[in-house]
Amino acid sequence: MSPALSDLPLAVTMGDPAGIGPDVTLAAWARRRDCALAPSFVIADPALFEARAALLGIAARVTRIARPEDAAAVFDDALPVLPLRAQLPPVAPGKPSVAHAAAVIESIEEAVTLVLSGRAAAVVTAPIAKFVLMQTGFAHAGHTEFLAELAVRHGHRPRPPIMLMASPRLIAVPVTVHIPLKEVVAALTQDVIIGTARTTAEGLTRFFGIARPRLAICGLNPHAGENGALGHEETDIIAPAIEHLKADGIDATGPHPADTLFHDAARETYDAVLAMYHDQALIPFKTLAFDDGVNVTLGLPFIRTSPDHGTAFALAGTGKANPTSFIEALRLARRMAASAAETGAVRAS
């Protein structure tokens, strides 16, 4: 009998080895008991973590494991590391190198393979530097798009992936993500809003245990268009999409003026907010949850979380990197796996 999803270890990717990924991974492991962390393992070069632990003064024993199934027996006493096949060239904290790209990509690919083969519960990604990977021909804007491609490689047909930012104070989803602001209007269609809202609502039920999620949907223009005086996207695109969602049984409201949607009382009225563009969601989210926010990808046939920060090369190896967001990414991945195990529906996304 196969183990339940919630009983499997989490697969943690290496991230950019010159960034703070190794730092926060080690710091999280050092707090494993205080934070009640479930077993996980890192797909990386063990020597990288041994060297970084010594540099940071973290008393962490790094143990090579041959397979994910060994992680649980090791995790309480040592950080389990599943070695990469690719050789990792020397790493200087704070100094990214194209020479590290192959190992970074292999770590992500292996994590997805292990999760989709039922040997790990979820993928938790450490931050990568897209500009480094792109110098080697990496064709994706970020983790999210690459993970969707990997799902296709494994024979799945994922929905367009959705970036959900989660914290105890706010769940926010940008409908359009990493595109120039001047391209948002052309990219904003009823179908895109409807698809994002459906994936969000289903994800909140499957992975967050919210039986009937309440979605608040932002307008695009100031004051949600002011009845057409400041723009027609609300009346022509957003409002019809909301009516369609209501007809489908989704509890969606709006279009709401974004400038009145994020204060304390307003946040009590919804479970998640859908913003029309990246900064409309990320500015309030990071204002409220800069240290403990978690980036979740919905629409994939597996669970993926990550901290909501980047590589922070200037902090790598200094001991100043805050591991809270990474710890919360690990904890949320475990909770999502437990919720998915109850519904048996993780691969329906």
Side-chain angles (χ1 to χ4, degrees):
M1 182 176 178
S2 300
L5 187 69
S6 55
D7 294 331
L8 297 172
L10 305 173
V12 177
T13 68
M14 177 177 67
D16 192 299
I20 63 169
D23 306 48
V24 296
T25 302
L26 285 160
W29 179 84
R31 300 184 190 182
R32 64 199 179 284
R33 296 189 181 96
D34 292 342
C35 297
L37 296 183
S40 62
F41 63 94
V42 189
I43 303 167
D45 183 342
L48 166 69
F49 282 82
E50 291 168 347
R52 193 66 58 88
L55 179 63
L56 295 171
I58 296 176
R61 185 161 63 91
V62 176
T63 296
R64 297 168 183 257
I65 59 173
R67 54 188 194 139
E69 291 79 7
D70 299 332
V74 170
F75 184 77
D76 195 50
D77 296 317
L79 177 68
V81 178
L82 185 67
L84 296 164
R85 293 181 296 274
Q87 182 176 5
L88 181 66
V91 175
K95 297 182 178 180
S97 172
V98 174
H100 304 148
V104 172
I105 291 171
E106 182 194 330
S107 179
I108 301 168
E109 292 174 335
E110 184 66 13
V112 172
T113 296
L114 291 172
V115 172
L116 287 177
S117 63
R119 303 178 70 188
V123 176
V124 181
T125 57
I128 59 174
K130 275 77 73 176
F131 75 91
V132 173
L133 301 183
M134 287 177 177
Q135 294 179 58
T136 68
F138 188 76
H140 305 283
H143 262 122
T144 302
E145 296 82 359
F146 185 42
L147 293 169
E149 180 196 295
L150 293 177
V152 173
R153 285 191 205 172
H154 284 269
H156 296 270
R157 298 181 63 183
R159 296 180 178 182
I162 302 303
M163 184 172 79
L164 180 147
M165 307 300 294
S167 83
R169 292 166 293 286
L170 176 66
I171 294 177
V173 177
V175 174
T176 63
V177 190
H178 296 126
I179 61 174
L181 189 58
K182 66 180 180 180
E183 297 177 11
V184 167
V185 172
L188 199 62
T189 66
Q190 290 186 39
D191 286 345
V192 168
I193 296 169
I194 292 167
T196 301
R198 284 175 175 165
T199 300
T200 300
E202 292 172 10
L204 291 174
T205 298
R206 289 179 180 141
F207 302 124
F208 292 79
I210 302 173
R212 182 170 165 75
R214 301 166 298 165
L215 305 183
I217 300 181
C218 291
L220 172 69
N221 298 295
H223 306 296
E226 199 73 72
N227 293 320
L230 300 178
H232 294 275
E233 286 77 16
E234 285 76 15
T235 56
D236 295 348
I237 300 171
I238 303 172
I242 293 170
E243 292 307 310
H244 191 111
L245 292 167
K246 290 178 178 178
D248 284 348
I250 293 175
D251 186 352
T253 61
H256 298 285
D259 62 351
T260 61
L261 202 52
F262 296 99
H263 60 83
D264 291 349
R267 297 199 312 274
E268 294 294 324
T269 67
Y270 58 81
D271 297 302
V273 62
L274 269 63
M276 295 301 105
Y277 56 93
H278 182 277
D279 283 9
Q280 193 181 53
L282 272 292
I283 289 173
F285 182 83
K286 291 197 174 185
T287 299
L288 292 166
F290 188 80
D291 289 327
D292 62 358
V294 178
N295 184 343
V296 177
T297 304
L298 298 179
L300 298 171
F302 53 88
I303 296 166
R304 180 261 177 155
T305 68
S306 74
D308 73 345
H309 57 70
T311 50
F313 290 116
L315 298 179
T318 68
K320 296 179 180 179
N322 187 340
T324 303
S325 181
F326 188 77
I327 289 169
E328 291 306 316
L330 292 166
R331 296 176 68 179
L332 181 56
R334 175 57 59 191
R335 293 196 300 272
M336 291 174 68
S339 181
E342 291 180 5
T343 63
V346 63
R347 286 178 171 76
S349 289

